[in-house]
Amino acid sequence: MMNIQSSPLLRQALVADATTSAAFGLLMLIGAGPLSGVLGLPEMLLRIAGLVLLPYAGFIGWLGMRETISKPVAWAVVLGNALWVADSVLLLVSGWVAPTSAGYAFVIAQALVVLMYAEFQYVGLRRSQEAVA
């Protein structure tokens, strides 16, 4: 497996993503009931998203603390974030949910933040060096 020496930008982007993901995961898991009414998003969707975000946050936080990581795993994080953004857009345009204005703002804002992290991670990954075995 090909390993890289993580660039400081990649490590910082992973840790920042982990922190934000953990905060949003807890918010959506614990506050799904009240948020559902305000956002017009199904409570179960919010709870599941929160449950998905918590282990993801732990994993990428762990990655962000390591000097050397697997290059394919780093790419998987970038692509996973891109997929999250695409799924967020699909959620809004599909008609599967009927979000309020606050719900649209919430989904769009979090998608833009995830897109920003994906971009920082991509650039950080490109700046990373091949690890010496």
Side-chain angles (χ1 to χ4, degrees):
M1 184 171 273
M2 188 182 336
N3 290 330
I4 56 170
Q5 287 293 122
S6 299
S7 70
L9 177 59
L10 178 56
R11 287 194 304 275
Q12 291 167 359
L14 289 168
V15 170
D17 189 357
T19 304
T20 305
S21 295
F24 270 81
L26 284 173
L27 173 70
M28 289 190 286
L29 183 62
I30 295 169
L35 282 174
S36 178
V38 172
L39 302 176
L41 298 171
E43 185 175 338
M44 188 57 68
L45 173 67
L46 293 169
R47 286 197 194 285
I48 290 170
L51 281 172
V52 167
L53 285 173
L54 293 176
Y56 169 78
F59 177 68
I60 63 169
W62 174 79
L63 275 181
M65 301 303 289
R66 299 177 52 81
E67 293 280 330
T68 304
I69 63 174
S70 164
K71 189 173 185 177
V73 170
W75 275 111
V77 171
V78 173
L79 294 174
N81 278 337
L83 182 61
W84 183 278
V85 172
D87 285 345
S88 297
V89 172
L90 180 62
L91 180 70
L92 294 179
V93 300
S94 67
W96 296 334
V97 295
T100 62
S101 295
Y104 275 101
F106 178 82
V107 173
I108 291 167
Q110 63 82 35
L112 289 173
V113 169
V114 172
L115 183 62
M116 174 193 69
Y117 286 138
E119 177 67 20
F120 285 145
Q121 291 159 356
Y122 171 77
V123 172
L125 182 54
R126 303 281 298 181
R127 291 181 182 176
S128 297
Q129 303 291 323
E130 298 296 324
V132 178

